[in-house]
Amino acid sequence: MKALIPETEAELATMIAQAEGPLRIQGGGTRPIGAPVDGQILSTTGLTGIELYEPGALTLVARAGTPLAEVEAALDAEGQRLAFEPMDHRPLLNTSGEPTIGGVVAANVSGPRRIQVGACRDHLLGVRFVDGQGQIIKNGGRVMKNVTGYDLVKLMAGSYGTLGVLSEVSLKVLPKTHMTGVLLFEGLSDTEAVKALSVALGSPFEVTGGAHLQKGMDGAPVTMIRLEGFENSVAYRAGELQKLLAGFGDFMLETDPDRTRAGWRYVRDVAPFQTRSGDVWRLSVKPSDAPGIVAALSGAEAIYDWGGGLIWLLVPEGSELTAATIRAAIGGTGGHATLIRGNPAEVFQPLSPAVAALQRGLRQKFDPRRILNPGLMGADT
Amino acid sequence: MDMPTPDPQIIARKAELVTRLQKVLPADALITDEHETRAYECDALTAYKCPPLLAVLPASTQEVSDVLRICHDMGVPVVPRGSGTSLAGGALPTADSVILGVARLNDVLETDYDNRFVRVQSGRTNLSVTGAVEEQGFFYAPDPSSQLACAIAGNIAMNSGGAHCLKYGVTTNNLMGVTMVLMDGTITQIGGAYLDAEGYDLLGLICGSEGQLGVVTEATLRILRKPEGARPVLIGFDDIVVAGACVADIIKAGVLPVAIEFMDRPCIRATEAFAGAGYPDCEALLIVEVEGSDAEIDEQLETIVTIARSHNPVELRESKSAEESAKIWLGRKSAFGAMGQINDYMCLDGTIPVSQLPYVLKRIGEMSQQYGLDVGNVFHAGDGNMHPLILFDANKPGDLELCEAFGADILRLCVEVGGCLTGEHGVGIEKRDLMNDQYDPGDLEIQMAVKDVFDPKWLLNPAKVFPLAASDTRRIAAE
Ligand SMILES: Cc1cc2nc3c(=O)[nH]c(=O)nc-3n(C[C@H](O)[C@H](O)[C@H](O)COP(=O)(O)OP(=O)(O)OC[C@H]3O[C@@H](n4cnc5c(N)ncnc54)[C@H](O)[C@@H]3O)c2cc1C
């Protein structure tokens, strides 16, 4: 069947209203996360353009199909950025195409800076979308503070197109920082590394990234702590952190712009697993639980981000580890696991019966015919 | 402001309700006496009052669940209440409703500095959450001015903000998990001591839902290490447009202040007369605060001062000490009190795109003349959240209504320039009927459909948020 590519919001609404079967909602198609959907492709790539950008008000409004690269270039020209640092899934998932801003929002894609500035959903100020009946709906707006009515803005972030098709998003943007410094130390065990990251994140020194790779670029375990800001301030905070962390080792300060940028791209885009075969899982847990969870999953390899709160897990081919064992390892302490790459049996964490019922109920209201990405987030959707 | 007519059938069954509640609550948790229920007749929007049918003060999640199950069974509306400091009438009861107060749920359940969170019962006050962690140098960031009194429950229900939210965000950005009881008594856990809860972002949906989706009994909150220090600079301008341009330039320069506060001349004069903070008599005054070590603060303030100088300020006062900082903040912190000295006042809470500030202030000035009521503007300038204070005389017949009409016009203006009706106080009953100015019927319909999912019988705080005419059929069907 031919893909539907609406060029206006009104056209999008008509197409959904007239749809007779399931629709597979697609932005750039670079993040095929979730159970595969069998249906006619509905692409947002015809809905493009930045509609409003006010650098002095830190706000940008764009149509959902606008390429992320276009948004980032516009921000760059004003010395600003999307502070939540969305990852590029392409190399990890072996996809091509242009990521769209709507796709970033629909999957609530957030990178290493999430621990300090929040996730994509925390920067989302407003949405326009078309629900499963073809109705155009708006929520939120383009101002930083807004508690007028229910916050459907956050609900739409991370709902993977199962509640509606985004037509426009409004985002809070932030100024770029003047420089980046990264404190690095090699050789820590997972447990020691997460403890060191906790010390750094529990300090007043405004850490904007805290990661630990079991195998860094040169094969040795490396712990990374990012500081951003004005030059003197970064130098001062790095010095204070070096003192605080002396018990763990002598952290060295890297300030070369190319190297620091490359280092955090490496973490953000899960580079070590890009060329490896096997399933890739993304676990959100209580940071201090992370090393124990990873240790319980023998055979898996891990990258820790968010001070340990985010685990990227590579489960090599032929491993005995299943979705159930991974989720059981998180089980007692709280958290969740999402399959990002691999056999898509149970991609999303199963929910408690009460929460699953709410999720089903919402789905029923927003898309009673169940035509938008049916099943993508599991049986409840 | 209208409220639905109380249901006489429910009122007639009070005795039966009391008997059933007595079975699940200790005697002192059930308040039925008509004098005592008076304590719950209003929140901080004191112009509207109505004692509830009765009030309950459960002390555990299980008791909350038991109460809700009984009320659900008997079809009795329930109005959740934290500390009753809502400025929007969010906690205002009706005569046929039960007030469910969470004041007894005030324990700290878990503090975890390594993982930077605290888990508390929802009746705990905002300030005492910070109180529980500050010995270790931590704090809970959202800081509404009412923080001494208001409860985390109310903060979550209203998605409350504070003076420092420019840097740290509002409640929703600092909330990691909740225990919430649905109207039918079902206890749910959403999120926890980890980031980005599984499934749909229900946490984001619950935050700011004004007690209409469930009763929150516990919350997991993000805590942060306190900064080494903070100091403000005070900048005075003779022109509002220039002050606005200065704010935009500061934001663009890449310094992220924790707060940028704005006051206009009427407000400056009132606070000067009241607090004597030594503010210059000018058109617009900015207080910009930054954080960090002493040297970091100096460097950031220098950048800000350089920007400010390029706009020819009439006054520039950089704080060098804790005393000087306190003096700069003194006037701003007593602004509401100062206006209250002059007269009764109504505090509005619209948000506008910051670029619209000069136009909006000009229009408010014109309207002030038309209505014949004075207004002062205090404003979180960094994020566009305005707090116009309209002065009126509660003893003068018709003045409250005039003031409400003026307020509604200001809020419509906020919407017209691309902003919204409320930035942090919530809709409650106060802005309920203005929702049609911001949202189309379809936008409201889907929000009400969300309530249908959580509370199909429309028993939780039913007469709030949505225009009564819009929620009518649902509330009546529920009876
Ligand atoms: C002097 C003053 C200054 C203020 N300053 C600020 C400010 O700077 N920023 C700001 O954002 N607000 C401010 N406010 C408004 C008010 O303090 C906030 O809205 C606050 O969060 C209300 O908390 P509360 O515990 O008093 O809630 P209440 O007034 O008791 O209730 C508020 C709402 O929460 C609901 N609710 C209460 N408990 C629960 C529960 N357990 N589960 C579900 N829903 C519940 C109620 O039904 C109601 O809709 C101020 C108020 C005053 C009086």
Side-chain angles (χ1 to χ4, degrees):
Chain A
M1 229 183 300
K2 236 180 82 207
L4 299 169
I5 312 178
E7 290 188 353
T8 63
E9 188 182 62
E11 214 177 12
L12 170 67
T14 312
M15 285 174 178
I16 293 178
Q18 290 173 355
E20 282 167 0
L23 297 171
R24 203 169 117 201
I25 319 304
Q26 213 167 66
T30 69
R31 312 179 200 271
I33 300 165
V37 175
D38 202 11
Q40 185 177 14
I41 289 177
L42 170 64
S43 166
T44 61
T45 51
L47 301 166
T48 58
I50 294 169
E51 288 165 273
L52 178 141
Y53 175 29
E54 282 186 8
L58 303 177
T59 41
L60 177 136
V61 182
R63 293 200 182 85
T66 310
L68 178 61
E70 186 182 327
V71 170
E72 286 180 332
L75 295 174
D76 198 54
E78 292 288 339
Q80 299 190 334
R81 66 183 177 192
L82 296 174
F84 54 93
E85 214 177 356
M87 83 177 273
D88 184 350
H89 278 88
R90 285 174 293 186
L92 183 68
L93 303 182
N94 196 19
T95 50
S96 55
E98 275 299 311
T100 62
I101 191 68
V104 168
V105 169
N108 190 27
V109 183
S110 321
R113 211 177 285 107
R114 195 257 173 273
I115 36 165
Q116 198 219 14
V117 302
C120 172
R121 55 87 96 173
D122 294 294
H123 294 80
L124 189 63
L125 304 174
V127 289
R128 293 179 65 89
F129 64 95
V130 176
D131 73 6
Q133 310 256 55
Q135 299 186 71
I136 298 171
I137 290 158
K138 66 167 182 297
N139 193 262
R142 63 169 173 111
V143 287
M144 301 286 182
K145 278 170 80 185
N146 188 345
V147 297
T148 321
Y150 295 165
D151 190 345
L152 306 184
V153 174
K154 298 209 171 46
L155 183 64
M156 293 307 290
S159 63
Y160 291 88
T162 62
L163 295 174
V165 180
L166 294 166
S167 50
E168 181 190 288
V169 297
S170 153
L171 290 156
K172 170 182 173 183
V173 301
L174 283 174
K176 284 190 168 167
T177 46
H178 288 237
M179 75 164 285
T180 302
V182 184
L183 288 168
L184 295 163
F185 185 71
E186 284 192 350
L188 292 182
S189 69
D190 292 8
T191 309
E192 286 298 297
V194 170
K195 277 190 188 149
L197 293 175
S198 273
V199 169
L201 287 162
S203 78
F205 304 119
E206 308 204 341
V207 168
T208 71
H212 176 72
L213 308 172
Q214 289 179 324
K215 286 193 197 116
M217 287 184 185
D218 61 4
V222 61
T223 310
M224 306 165 58
I225 297 167
R226 179 169 62 186
L227 298 165
E228 295 174 288
F230 294 105
E231 197 172 335
N232 293 337
S233 163
V234 169
Y236 164 75
R237 286 180 284 145
E240 292 300 302
L241 279 171
Q242 280 167 326
K243 283 184 238 162
L244 269 182
L245 296 169
F248 294 94
D250 288 330
F251 276 78
M252 167 213 124
L253 179 65
E254 173 67 76
T255 56
D256 176 72
D258 292 331
R259 293 176 66 94
T260 55
R261 191 178 319 111
W264 287 97
R265 282 269 155 94
Y266 193 75
V267 174
R268 188 194 77 178
D269 295 344
V270 206
F273 298 166
Q274 288 170 359
T275 52
R276 307 274 307 279
S277 61
D279 290 355
V280 176
W281 287 83
R282 187 176 184 272
L283 279 58
S284 178
V285 299
K286 186 159 89 180
S288 61
D289 291 343
I293 292 169
V294 171
L297 299 167
S298 78
E301 289 175 39
I303 295 167
Y304 299 86
D305 195 356
W306 300 354
L310 173 65
I311 305 169
W312 287 100
L313 202 70
L314 179 78
V315 180
E317 272 171 76
S319 159
E320 306 274 277
L321 295 173
T322 62
T325 40
I326 291 167
R327 291 191 170 123
I330 300 175
T333 52
H336 54 93
T338 310
L339 180 66
I340 300 296
R341 189 182 80 189
N343 174 25
E346 300 156 273
V347 177
F348 291 91
Q349 180 83 14
L351 305 171
S352 71
V355 175
L358 294 174
Q359 185 146 316
R360 264 197 313 276
L362 289 170
R363 169 67 181 213
Q364 172 66 26
K365 295 289 181 192
F366 282 69
D367 178 21
R369 295 184 295 158
R370 249 179 131 255
I371 59 166
L372 305 176
N373 281 343
L376 184 141
M377 289 183 81
D380 290 326
T381 61
Chain B
M1 225 66 72
D2 293 330
M3 286 300 270
T5 325
D7 183 346
Q9 285 172 10
I10 294 175
I11 296 173
R13 290 172 76 195
K14 180 173 175 182
E16 182 192 342
L17 178 64
V18 169
T19 313
R20 289 187 67 178
L21 289 171
Q22 273 167 343
K23 296 206 180 97
V24 298
L25 289 174
D28 67 350
L30 188 57
I31 296 157
T32 58
D33 180 90
E34 274 165 35
H35 295 289
E36 289 176 50
T37 53
R38 274 280 164 81
Y40 303 94
E41 70 186 359
C42 68
D43 53 26
L45 183 68
T46 50
Y48 298 92
K49 293 187 174 141
C50 172
L53 187 60
L54 54 86
V56 293
L57 299 171
S60 68
T61 299
Q62 190 55 52
E63 283 181 4
V64 170
S65 166
D66 292 339
V67 167
L68 289 176
R69 202 169 15 79
I70 292 168
C71 292
H72 182 255
D73 191 42
M74 293 184 63
V76 180
V78 173
V79 177
R81 181 181 169 104
S83 302
T85 68
S86 168
L87 291 166
L92 175 74
T94 46
D96 58 357
S97 70
V98 167
I99 281 277
L100 191 165
V102 290
R104 287 187 182 175
L105 289 160
N106 59 7
D107 281 343
V108 174
L109 303 170
E110 191 180 357
T111 47
D112 185 333
Y113 300 106
D114 284 341
N115 295 303
R116 303 168 298 284
F117 72 87
V118 56
R119 199 158 56 85
V120 298
Q121 290 183 314
S122 66
R124 196 168 178 89
T125 62
N126 174 293
L127 195 61
S128 70
V129 171
T130 288
V133 297
E134 77 188 335
E135 208 169 289
Q136 298 282 330
F138 283 77
F139 73 114
Y140 173 60
D143 57 342
S145 328
S146 52
Q147 67 182 153
L148 190 63
C150 67
I152 290 300
N155 293 176
I156 294 172
M158 292 311 199
N159 189 14
S160 302
H164 294 84
C165 59
L166 187 58
K167 179 167 175 193
Y168 297 111
V170 295
T171 304
T172 192
N173 311 113
N174 292 277
L175 178 68
M176 300 167 73
V178 294
T179 300
M180 184 175 84
V181 189
L182 301 180
M183 187 63 214
D184 67 3
T186 308
I187 298 170
T188 63
Q189 300 285 345
I190 296 162
Y194 50 91
L195 297 174
D196 301 333
E198 55 269 44
Y200 290 157
D201 192 351
L202 299 185
L203 217 45
L205 184 62
I206 290 159
C207 202
S209 64
E210 305 205 11
Q212 292 197 306
L213 301 184
V215 176
V216 174
T217 58
E218 290 175 20
T220 305
L221 307 168
R222 176 170 91 131
I223 53 171
L224 298 169
R225 185 64 185 269
K226 282 196 172 160
E228 291 181 272
R231 264 186 283 132
V233 55
L234 177 150
I235 316 164
F237 290 101
D238 249 348
D239 185 336
I240 285 167
V241 180
V242 176
C246 181
V247 170
D249 284 352
I250 292 170
I251 288 174
K252 276 196 286 191
V255 214
L256 186 62
V258 269
I260 306 182
E261 297 289 297
F262 176 106
M263 287 167 71
D264 69 358
R265 192 190 286 273
C267 224
I268 299 168
R269 287 200 171 150
T271 56
E272 241 345 82
F274 179 70
Y279 286 176
D281 185 24
C282 56
E283 277 306 313
L285 189 146
L286 297 177
I287 299 174
V288 186
E289 181 156 274
V290 295
E291 289 179 345
S293 69
D294 254 346
E296 287 177 294
I297 292 174
D298 284 340
E299 189 175 6
Q300 294 174 77
L301 287 183
E302 199 184 301
T303 309
I304 292 167
V305 165
T306 309
I307 294 168
R309 285 234 161 83
S310 72
H311 291 281
N312 299 318
V314 293
E315 176 97 9
L316 228 165
R317 206 182 299 160
E318 199 178 324
S319 162
K320 295 282 182 205
S321 67
E323 294 88 74
E324 286 175 25
S325 300
K327 194 144 184 241
I328 289 178
W329 275 111
L330 177 69
R332 167 63 184 89
K333 290 199 166 155
S334 45
F336 287 15
M339 298 299 269
Q341 283 282 307
I342 307 180
N343 239 329
D344 300 300
Y345 69 84
M346 185 165 117
C347 171
L348 302 178
D349 170 48
T351 307
I352 57 167
V354 287
S355 50
Q356 297 290 332
L357 175 65
Y359 172 71
V360 170
L361 289 180
K362 187 175 125 260
R363 289 284 299 125
I364 290 178
E366 289 163 9
M367 285 191 246
S368 165
Q369 302 246 304
Q370 281 158 19
Y371 278 97
L373 292 175
D374 284 334
V375 60
N377 283 290
V378 189
F379 184 54
H380 305 297
D383 51 35
N385 190 190
M386 305 189 77
H387 290 312
L389 301 168
I390 307 176
L391 298 177
F392 71 102
D393 182 353
N395 294 322
K396 192 166 143 198
D399 230 29
L400 170 67
E401 289 72 18
L402 196 63
C403 169
E404 285 183 341
F406 183 10
D409 275 350
I410 293 179
L411 295 182
R412 282 192 199 99
L413 174 66
C414 291
V415 174
E416 190 187 300
V417 300
C420 67
L421 298 173
T422 169
E424 56 182 18
H425 294 169
V427 178
I429 57 160
E430 194 203 12
K431 281 146 275 188
R432 199 181 52 192
D433 297 314
L434 288 168
M435 288 288 271
N436 289 323
D437 288 280
Q438 180 158 349
Y439 288 117
D440 293 331
D443 302 330
L444 290 177
E445 178 59 32
I446 195 121
Q447 294 183 37
M448 291 190 288
V450 167
K451 181 162 170 65
D452 293 341
V453 172
F454 285 76
D455 175 25
K457 290 168 84 177
W458 275 66
L459 291 172
L460 264 178
N461 218 5
K464 312 290 167 68
V465 183
F466 304 104
L468 287 184
S471 63
D472 225 12
T473 42
R474 286 177 157 89
R475 283 179 295 103
I476 289 164
E479 274 170 20

